[in-house]
Amino acid sequence: MNSTQAPTTTLTAAGTAAGTAPIDPGPRIDVVGALHPRFDEILTPQALEFVTELHRLFAGARHDRLAERMRKRFEIGNGRDPKFRDDTAHIREDSSWRVAGPGPGLEDRRVEITGPTDPKMTINALNSGAKVWLADQEDATSPTWKNVIGGQLSLFDAIRDQLEFTSPEGKQYRVTATETPTIVMRPRGWHLVEKHLRFTDGHGQAMAASGSLVDFGLYAFHNAKELVARGRGPYFYIAKLESSEEAQLWDDVFSFTERTLGLEHGTIRATVLIETLPAAFEMDEILYVMRDHIAGLNAGRWDYIFSIIKNYRGRGARFVLPDRSEVTMTVPFMRAYTELLVQTAHKRGAHAIGGMSAFIPNRRDPEVTALAERKVRADKNREANDGFDGTWVAHPDLIAVAQAEFDAVLGDKPNQVDRQRDDVHVTAADLLDVHIGREISDAGVRENVSIGIRYIESWLRGVGAAAIDNLMEDAATAEISRSQIWQWIHQDQSTAEGTRITREWVELLVREVTASFARFEGDRFDDAAEIFADVALGETFPTFLTVSAYSRYLVELD
């Protein structure tokens, strides 16, 4: 039987075949997706029991936190701006507390490479020469069932030095580096579900499992002790947080995991992405509630821009951003956010990690490569001189470019946490002043349509990180593309050339752009165009484009 015809019957957390009565009538996880080769090595009864316990203890709080997100988003949409919280002022004003800081292997993070967890990309990352690999089960991974569990298998094998891969063309990939990056795994955010696993609670109510708890739980259960034994540790990037209460929930998950797996308290380390507008107002609070487990903060620039558009999409023309290419890291509101992040992290003994420039090289085009290197060099020079301790790159060829800029500032020091940035004074108004003074162009509208559709097409084929027009696109950049279109239409914007941005014009662009693509067998351009129209042109604004698209196209159940 080939992998596309894999059986769907497998074990539940209670140790019985899915679809039969469990031995224990209490909470359980049932596997309702296909059991592809080696999936049983990850979806063991013991691992499913652990993931079941995570759901039993934390699924309810997860739903509460997501409901609170919706309430706060509604408030912002109705004119109530976010602010620094009065009820937590004592945390911000107390200068005495510090966080755990880096665990073994995380002391020097000057260059981190990001990417999905398929075998080829895993091997490339481990051979890259970066200090850290962000093993991404989130925005750079299309959450097909094969990718979700296949990524767990890649990590399982990589941690045990047993990962090899042969491409369909016969090319062999092996880890050859004598020193590999420290792995920091990024599970999916609280808002995402895993529909190939079904959680049934103690009352018999069945629901899709939490993508966060599945990704985290399977990785921690199988690998935490092995990582510690090898001198590293179970380290995680935590995405899409919008409040310290959401951070507290993760910290509770960490503490329970340490007790259950027999790990010393504080073994788990997290780096939190500050990539939503509400989280930018609670950086101190997030660090505080996770202080026993947190190593740093990261400036997740693309999702941060998306968050601003999403929260202020209906608040009038003054919150409208220009072409995506004009929203750079040097515009005032992005400078305010990143400088506050460095100051806050260093004040508490945490690393500040910079974001990813989207430019990537092309080994077949020297001019494209030269442009990418020039753009990345400027971006990393700014970050290093602003006080960041490290940064992200999306391509191995950019590691040396980025490292040169951080080496020039850090020298032999592993980081610059001692640089306190007392010169930074950021107000709530600074974080909310999104006026840039640039315009929307006809080309910018068309580019958003083209990039959005091409990225979604790639995502539907199971590729979550896609090189498009010499830029590395993932779910976050696609979200910017479609949310800008939605906002421009609903705020009755016109381009610099005088074209009014209407639904009808964008529908025409969707047809024109889709017709211009070179088609190939198995492409998903028609589905992608339909999804893009749904999330960019509808009357209502979907919170995330991937949520409905996942349920409609990526879930494969018998």
Side-chain angles (χ1 to χ4, degrees), residues 147-186:
N147 283 348
V148 168
I149 304 302
Q152 294 281 348
L153 282 164
S154 295
L155 291 165
F156 183 93
D157 288 343
I159 289 164
R160 291 160 179 81
D161 298 327
Q162 61 190 33
L163 180 62
E164 296 182 353
F165 174 70
T166 302
S167 72
E169 298 77 27
K171 184 177 181 180
Q172 294 184 328
Y173 294 81
R174 293 185 178 89
V175 178
T176 57
T178 56
E179 184 175 346
T180 58
T182 299
I183 298 172
V184 182
M185 187 267 221
R186 177 160 68 166

Side-chain angles (χ1 to χ4, degrees), residues 65-100:
R65 298 285 77 78
L66 292 176
E68 182 65 10
R69 274 190 193 183
M70 292 179 61
R71 187 189 67 80
K72 288 184 177 178
R73 196 175 302 122
F74 180 82
E75 287 183 348
I76 294 174
N78 280 277
R80 185 174 181 179
D81 291 333
K83 64 176 184 176
F84 297 104
R85 291 168 57 168
D86 294 331
D87 63 323
T88 56
H90 63 286
I91 294 174
R92 297 191 300 275
E93 293 166 1
D94 182 355
S95 61
S96 65
W97 60 269
R98 296 291 184 275
V99 302

